[in-house]
Amino acid sequence: MTTADYASLPGRARRELKARAKTRPVDLRVGRKGVTGNLLAELRKVFESGDLAKVAFSHSERPERLALVAELEDKLAASTVATAGKTATLYKPRAK
């Protein structure tokens, strides 16, 4: 799923996802090493149990964080629901 796919969801569904993202605790933290195989494996486990994953980044520069979020979107076939400061919430619909 890409960001365009998320944007194609009805407005009510997008609002519901953003509301859930706001109160969700952080699932994983991305450290200095960035996106690693272990991080991707753990995110896949989170997506097996639900459709949202909240990730916090230790990188202080916004362009670095945006690049990491884009990398996660590509590697996990997920889309960003919301970003706030150093956190991002990813959405990937569960397989039926």
Side-chain angles (χ1 to χ4, degrees), residues 17-80:
L17 286 172
K18 284 184 178 184
R20 286 178 39 212
K22 189 175 275 192
T23 59
R24 183 180 181 85
V26 172
D27 293 307
L28 290 171
R29 297 186 186 279
V30 179
R32 288 176 297 194
K33 293 182 181 179
V35 178
T36 63
N38 288 335
L39 177 80
L40 293 172
E42 290 300 318
L43 277 171
R44 286 186 183 104
K45 287 180 187 177
V46 171
F47 281 129
E48 285 176 6
S49 63
D51 58 355
L52 289 177
K54 195 166 191 177
V55 182
F57 299 91
S58 65
H59 300 77
S60 60
E61 297 297 320
R62 183 175 172 83
E64 289 180 60
R65 290 193 308 268
L66 293 176
L68 290 170
V69 169
E71 185 178 352
L72 288 173
E73 285 180 334
D74 289 341
K75 291 187 177 183
L76 295 170
S79 61
T80 303

